[in-house]
Amino acid sequence: MAMALRYLWPLFLCSPCLLIQIPEEYEGHHVMEPPVITEQSPRRLVVFPTDDISLKCEASGKPEVQFRWTRDGIHFKPKEELGVTVHQAPHSGSFTITGNNSNFAQRFQGTYRCFASNKLGTAMSHEIQLMAEGAPKWPKETVKPVEVEEGESVILPCHPPPSAEPLRIYWMNSKILHIKQDERVTMGQNGNLYFANVLTSDNHSDYICHAHFPGTRTIIQKEPIDLRVKATNSMIDRKPRLLFPTNTSSHLVALQGQPLVLECIAEGFPTPTIKWLRPSGPMPADRVSYQNHNKTLHLLNVSEEDDGEYRCLAENSLGSDQHAYYVTVEAAPYWLHKPQSHLYGPGETARLDCQVQGRPQPEVTWRINGIPVEELDKDQKYRMQRGALILSNVQPSDTMVTQCEARNRHGLLLANAYIYVVQLPAKILTPDNETYLAVEGSTAYLLCKAFGAPVPSLQWLDKEGKTVLQDERFFPYTNGTLGIRDLQANDTGHYFCQAANDQNNVTIVANLQVKDATQITEGPRSTIEKKGSTVTFTCQAFFDPSLQHSITWLRDGRKLQELGDTDKYFIEDGHLVIHNLDYSDQGNYSCVASTKLDVVESRAELLVVGSPGPVLQLELSDHHLLRQNQVRLSWSPADNHNAPIEKYEIEFKDKEMAPEKWYSLGKVPGNQTSTNLKLSPYIHYTFRVTAINKYGTGEPSPDSETVLTPEAAPEKNPIDVKGEGNETNNMVITWKPLRWMDWNAPQVLYRVQWHPQGTQGSWQEQTVSDPFLVVSNTPTFVPYEIKVQAVNNQGKGPEPQITIGYSGEDYPQVGPKLEDIKILNSSTVLVKWQHVDPAQVKGHLRGYNVTYWWEGSQRKHSKRYVHKGHVVVPANTTSTILGGLKPYSSYHLEVQAFNSRGLGPASEKTFSTPEGVPSQPEVLHLECQSDTSLLLRWQPPLSHNGVLTGYVLSYQPVDDGVKEKLSFNLSDPELQTHNLTNLSPNLRYRFQLQATTKEGPGEAIMREGGTMALSGTPNFGNISAMAGENYSVVSWVPQEGQCNFMFQISFKAQGDEKMDTSVHYSQRSYTQLNLQPNTDYEIRLLKEKVLLHQMAVKTNGTGQMKLPSPGFATEGWFIGFVSAIILLLLILLILCFIKRSKGGKYSVKDKEDTQVDSEARPMKDETFGEYSDNEEKAFGSSQPSLNGDIKPLGSDDSLADYGGSVDVQFNEDGSFIGQYSGKKEKEAAGGNDSSGAASPINPVGTLE
């Protein structure tokens, strides 16, 4: 119970704090309201002859409010005044004075106050000062001319008529042109026109002062002033003197919150200048301004800290004058605590606070119902305490309207506040039996708004009548609401709110239902994705099943549906997919799961990364450094697109020399936005800058302005200087020309110098523009010293380096001496030779060309096959291994040295390879003979590689656990079948057959299969038959693992004899000819009179198809005769080809790339053709040449026919990696057309 009282106490104690407003829901009680002023005229009302006078006073209250007025403290009755109309609207005491003119308005001038009363009290308006102003007139005056000597000061007075409203003053001439004002001539705040010193140009007779009265919307003007300036030859200089103010100091009062204007106008010659000082501290720069050529200081929003001295100083070359303003900041009254109207119940204590401040301190007076408290009876129960009006134990008869009024010399404040003592029964304004829904873990608020007087006490009870405040999760509010935090499912139930005062007791019930809270079980996760990719956010949530729910996606707080890009965003089943990401897509994406009771949000941040944006602005500075070939380039940073910029690349182009190509000048770190560039002479530089981060390169910046560097002598010489002859009696000097950016001038030439190496004589030289020079009439293969220097119109380049070049080469004169050929195995030999005498090479030895070809097999009746291979060997190597040879064969070998000119004479030798093992037999077929026997058929190997001595046959069961292999030799090399008996009928066997020579067995051919018993009944899978007019085709698919066998196919038509044919199971199809059109045939498949399959077919057509009678072309003897003739012709062609190919030399092709490994292996783009006695694979035509487009050369061909240069290089291991280049001249008429291997000078393809 103590805890319950702890929560109830604030409800009792705060009852005086309730505002007067009685709720509209409080029905059934006619509650009165004290009067309240709702609208009134401003404190100061200025009227003009053309205006109507309207004084407003409106108020609310129940019962109806009655109005009365006072003027200058005396009762004023508007209805009884002539020309006054009282407004008849409810709640209004306003009136209007019409028929206004100057005299009529002045009759109603005064200070008015309105009083609004009903039976509960009287409210009072503030004082309304009514001022009537007539039409402005300038008093008649005689304006005498103003005479002054040149250089003296003068003041032209204005003195406009007084007005209650601020005036605007203008000085003009008779042509309505403004008088020009400056430091010498200026108008003061009082309207006078001040001349610091007059000039003869100021001599005018029409200085007119105009006064603009905004209230009457009229402008009047003063009589013109005639200013006469007497010229003088000697204007006397004088120090400044203040024309305004005239004394040395003055005191001003500034109002807090209002502007302060200080002015100083001085005379003197030369014209003085004005400065403003504040000795006590700096001027408030944010609020101070200087106008009228520094003569006027404006200080806005004055505060107490602006109190103090302000000094103006007038100066010229002869001295100074000053004035001190002592400013005191005062303030009109303002509220610290304004009294407020309140509603009270009987017996309570009422307190109205009225606290004001001002400078000087305002005087505070209290009124009750418009009557000063001093004039009330002394037995009143109120008391005054520290600016507060206090009434104890109030009763309904104490209802009143009070007025607190504060006044000082700067203004007046008034506040009406009433004390309303009411006695009303308690009533709960919240509807009864309301149902409240909330979710677990949240806070529920059960409403119970009650009203009554005295203020009713409230308490919340459970269904058993016990207070609910014993649970700390339950807490009350002063407005009667019950809060329940951390809701639980068992909080569901009925709660009772009870309101009571001294008149009655009322109760309502509130129903609370606690639902399951919404939970996001899987929310979106923050991610970083690349521009252009696709990202998927997931949002899965749990909801109370009884509540309607939704999942909404937001981006940066806005619904995605509102963004309008439906193609980019795809939302379905709790997933948000964003396609084709752009940088504008990055932000915070929120999944909002909501019901009408709760909202849960899960947020993820999406960052889109990518290559940087463009650099937006380039700026070139320090142009004076262009003479030193330097300039400074600055740029604005690029957008890094969420990945730090690692570097900026600076590029340039020359719009004259290469307008479309950009060249890199270098890179700078990504945190740098400027750099000094070192430039080359004579280049029209246009720059651009590109940002780079880890995702790539951004777009380049716009082009910079173009700058041109001055010309200079070349700083570089050409590189790759070479001297090589393309004829035996010349030397072609070549070099890599300078890039245009190294010319340092509009053009560049090359100074070429040469002389024989080792001579001390003078250099021969020639200046050329092309990057080559042909030196003629040189000895063959002589070294020269060569220099090439760049020159332009500014001078020569640096001293060039000396390069050694050679005049033209001739063909090598001798061939290398061959040593014995070493046989390494049946297909590999080692060839060695001795170095060629360098003097006989007649040039740079580039290497050796090894050519070999097959001449025949040592077997009798072997088929002749001619093939040439070659190997290019580096110059520093005198041996090579020839692999991939055919065993048991004869070969011819040639070795030639070559230089850049071509091949020298060949050294020849013949060798033979020993026998090897044969290749595997060509085919191996298994044919079922019975349940225990198989017939094996095979074809000999294509490559015997020696003399066949027989075969080795091995076999063993498969998957029987028996690992023993049965093997036996078949010593007859001509044997091609073998019958195996005593096989297990239920086992599957693996058979292996190898051909043998004296070197041993060769590669094996393997097959798996079983006997007839294992195969079972033959299965013709997918068997079908189709027919034409006079034929039918039967097709089937042999079963996997089924051995081959013979069976019969018979076709029989009704009334005809049957047609039988034997067929192999493995041949897959059979075609039966000579059938009758449009006839039904029965087809049978039989094996040993056992029916395997039966089907029917019908031929097409409408009549019998007549087949041509067989002629001799289908006879077997004729086919054999034609085959023999074709075979003889083929043999003759082969023999011709071999004869024409033997001993040929090889052409050199221009600019072919060749690469040889360290062992100088033979080329793989040709292989040896196979040969065999097997008729199933007869040898066809010879293999193609290494390069089909190479012209074959005869014995008279040599590398002398090929000009140009040669460049041969080798790897570190000595392998050939160079290329031979040259241009083939047109060949002379005649020549040998025999085919040959490609030249070593121009090898074809890649050497492996």
Side-chain angles (χ1 to χ4, degrees), residues 723-725 727-732 754-759 775 777-786 803-810 842-844:
E724 297 175 342
E727 299 290 343
T728 57
N729 61 349
N730 74 0
M731 177 175 65
V732 181
W754 70 93
H755 68 190
Q757 186 181 18
T759 63
V775 180
N777 301 320
T778 61
T780 301
F781 198 61
V782 172
Y784 283 83
E785 293 182 339
I786 303 170
T803 301
I804 305 300
Y806 289 83
S807 58
E809 301 182 5
D810 203 349
K842 298 297 182 180
H844 296 288

Side-chain angles (χ1 to χ4, degrees), residues 621-638:
S621 57
D622 297 346
H623 288 73
H624 63 280
L625 296 178
L626 284 172
R627 291 191 295 271
Q628 288 82 40
N629 292 325
Q630 294 184 33
V631 74
R632 184 164 188 82
L633 178 64
S634 305
W635 58 90
S636 58

Side-chain angles (χ1 to χ4, degrees), residues 921-1174:
E922 273 301 284
V923 293
L924 177 60
H925 293 301
L926 307 179
E927 296 185 6
C928 299
Q929 300 296 311
S930 67
D931 289 348
T932 60
S933 65
L934 279 174
L935 178 64
L936 277 65
R937 294 182 183 271
W938 65 85
Q939 295 291 336
L942 284 179
S943 300
H944 290 191
N945 296 337
V947 179
L948 289 183
T949 59
Y951 296 90
V952 175
L953 177 62
S954 305
Y955 65 96
Q956 67 181 124
V958 179
D959 300 331
D960 188 41
V962 179
K963 296 185 178 180
E964 181 180 358
K965 180 187 295 185
L966 298 178
S967 180
F968 53 89
N969 293 323
L970 304 175
S971 57
D972 183 2
E974 302 297 328
L975 188 64
Q976 293 187 13
T977 62
H978 183 74
N979 191 28
L980 282 177
T981 58
N982 298 323
L983 297 176
S984 174
N986 297 318
L987 291 180
R988 185 174 181 82
Y989 290 88
R990 180 179 294 115
F991 300 93
Q992 178 176 303
L993 183 66
Q994 299 168 279
T996 61
T997 64
K998 71 176 184 178
E999 294 298 322
E1003 187 179 353
I1005 184 173
M1006 300 181 66
R1007 294 289 184 272
E1008 289 187 3
T1011 63
M1012 182 70 73
L1014 181 64
S1015 300
T1017 302
N1019 184 0
F1020 289 87
N1022 296 329
I1023 189 167
S1024 62
M1026 58 82 63
E1029 287 192 11
N1030 62 344
Y1031 68 93
S1032 176
V1033 179
V1034 180
S1035 303
W1036 64 91
V1037 178
Q1039 184 181 7
E1040 183 71 24
Q1042 179 72 52
C1043 67
N1044 191 23
F1045 60 90
M1046 295 284 291
F1047 65 94
Q1048 287 75 41
I1049 296 182
S1050 70
F1051 282 76
K1052 186 178 186 308
Q1054 187 173 5
D1056 289 348
E1057 294 183 0
K1058 68 178 180 177
M1059 294 176 282
D1060 290 337
T1061 305
S1062 295
V1063 179
H1064 281 282
Y1065 176 70
S1066 60
Q1067 74 182 55
R1068 297 177 176 265
S1069 67
Y1070 168 72
T1071 302
Q1072 178 66 54
L1073 301 175
N1074 302 324
L1075 301 181
Q1076 297 298 322
N1078 196 28
T1079 305
D1080 291 318
Y1081 283 90
E1082 182 183 45
I1083 305 174
R1084 290 189 176 190
L1085 281 64
L1086 302 101
K1087 184 178 186 302
E1088 298 176 355
K1089 298 183 180 181
V1090 176
L1091 180 64
L1092 301 178
H1093 193 78
Q1094 183 175 352
M1095 66 181 76
V1097 70
K1098 183 177 182 179
T1099 56
N1100 301 328
T1102 58
Q1104 185 172 358
M1105 180 71 178
K1106 293 184 179 181
L1107 296 174
S1109 59
F1112 71 91
T1114 59
E1115 296 293 333
W1117 64 268
F1118 179 78
I1119 296 174
F1121 176 75
V1122 173
S1123 299
I1125 291 176
I1126 293 174
L1127 183 60
L1128 287 174
L1129 290 173
L1130 183 60
I1131 292 173
L1132 287 174
L1133 287 173
I1134 294 173
L1135 290 175
C1136 290
F1137 177 77
I1138 294 173
K1139 184 176 181 180
R1140 297 179 66 183
S1141 303
K1142 187 173 182 181
K1145 295 186 179 181
Y1146 312 103
S1147 62
V1148 179
K1149 185 175 179 295
D1150 286 344
K1151 297 183 180 179
E1152 292 286 330
D1153 296 335
T1154 304
Q1155 184 173 343
V1156 183
D1157 66 8
S1158 60
E1159 295 182 355
R1161 291 176 289 181
M1163 297 180 66
K1164 296 296 185 178
D1165 52 351
E1166 291 187 305
T1167 58
F1168 285 105
E1170 301 293 346
Y1171 62 97
S1172 171
D1173 289 340
N1174 184 5

Side-chain angles (χ1 to χ4, degrees), residues 720 722 724 844-847 872-877 898 900 1152-1158 1206-1221 1240-1241 1243 1247:
D720 291 342
K722 297 178 182 178
E724 297 175 342
H844 296 288
L845 178 63
R846 301 301 185 183
V872 178
V873 180
N876 59 353
T877 304
F898 65 90
S900 299
E1152 292 286 330
D1153 296 335
T1154 304
Q1155 184 173 343
V1156 183
D1157 66 8
S1158 60
V1206 62
D1207 182 8
V1208 181
Q1209 300 177 1
F1210 299 92
N1211 285 327
E1212 293 180 357
D1213 58 0
S1215 60
F1216 177 83
I1217 63 171
Q1219 74 172 25
Y1220 295 87
S1221 64
I1241 304 303
L1247 300 180

Side-chain angles (χ1 to χ4, degrees), residues 599-860:
V599 176
V600 184
E601 181 177 357
S602 179
R603 180 177 300 175
E605 182 180 13
L606 172 63
L607 285 180
V608 180
V609 297
S611 57
V615 175
L616 298 180
Q617 186 176 2
L618 297 186
E619 182 180 353
L620 290 174
S621 57
D622 297 346
H623 288 73
H624 63 280
L625 296 178
L626 284 172
R627 291 191 295 271
Q628 288 82 40
N629 292 325
Q630 294 184 33
V631 74
R632 184 164 188 82
L633 178 64
S634 305
W635 58 90
S636 58
D639 191 335
N640 63 14
H641 291 159
N642 300 310
I645 294 177
E646 298 174 351
K647 50 196 169 185
Y648 288 98
E649 182 175 18
I650 302 169
E651 298 173 292
F652 77 94
K653 71 176 179 180
D654 189 315
K655 293 184 178 180
E656 301 294 329
M657 302 299 295
E660 302 299 328
K661 186 173 182 181
W662 290 91
Y663 300 88
S664 177
L665 264 179
K667 297 180 176 68
V668 299
N671 59 356
Q672 190 171 324
T673 56
S674 65
T675 185
N676 284 327
L677 300 177
K678 294 183 179 179
L679 309 178
S680 297
Y682 195 73
I683 293 181
H684 302 78
Y685 278 100
T686 301
F687 302 99
R688 73 179 185 185
V689 179
T690 306
I692 302 171
N693 64 12
K694 69 177 183 178
Y695 294 103
T697 301
E699 297 179 18
S701 69
D703 295 356
S704 73
E705 62 175 295
T706 300
V707 294
L708 174 63
T709 50
E711 297 181 21
E715 299 173 355
K716 297 180 180 179
N717 285 320
I719 60 174
D720 291 342
V721 178
K722 297 178 182 178
E724 297 175 342
N726 57 8
E727 299 290 343
T728 57
N729 61 349
N730 74 0
M731 177 175 65
V732 181
I733 301 174
T734 61
W735 57 90
K736 186 176 181 180
L738 288 181
R739 300 182 303 168
W740 59 264
M741 60 191 69
D742 296 324
W743 293 0
N744 295 354
Q747 289 184 334
V748 71
L749 299 175
Y750 302 100
R751 179 187 181 211
V752 186
Q753 298 173 282
W754 70 93
H755 68 190
Q757 186 181 18
T759 63
Q760 301 299 323
S762 61
W763 293 78
Q764 293 180 273
E765 71 173 61
Q766 187 173 343
T767 301
V768 297
S769 59
D770 295 324
F772 67 89
L773 175 65
V774 179
V775 180
S776 303
N777 301 320
T778 61
T780 301
F781 198 61
V782 172
Y784 283 83
E785 293 182 339
I786 303 170
K787 295 191 294 183
V788 180
Q789 185 179 32
V791 295
N792 63 18
N793 56 8
Q794 298 294 320
K796 300 177 183 178
E799 182 64 25
Q801 295 181 347
I802 295 177
T803 301
I804 305 300
Y806 289 83
S807 58
E809 301 182 5
D810 203 349
Y811 299 107
Q813 302 299 305
V814 297
K817 184 178 181 181
L818 287 171
E819 298 179 358
D820 290 338
I821 296 176
K822 183 177 181 181
I823 304 297
L824 300 180
N825 55 44
S826 61
S827 60
T828 308
V829 298
L830 174 63
V831 180
K832 291 187 177 181
W833 58 90
Q834 295 179 2
H835 276 298
V836 178
D837 182 3
Q840 299 297 320
V841 176
K842 298 297 182 180
H844 296 288
L845 178 63
R846 301 301 185 183
Y848 299 93
N849 183 56
V850 180
T851 307
Y852 58 96
W853 62 88
W854 183 84
E855 291 192 320
S857 173
Q858 300 178 45
R859 287 179 57 230
K860 295 180 180 179

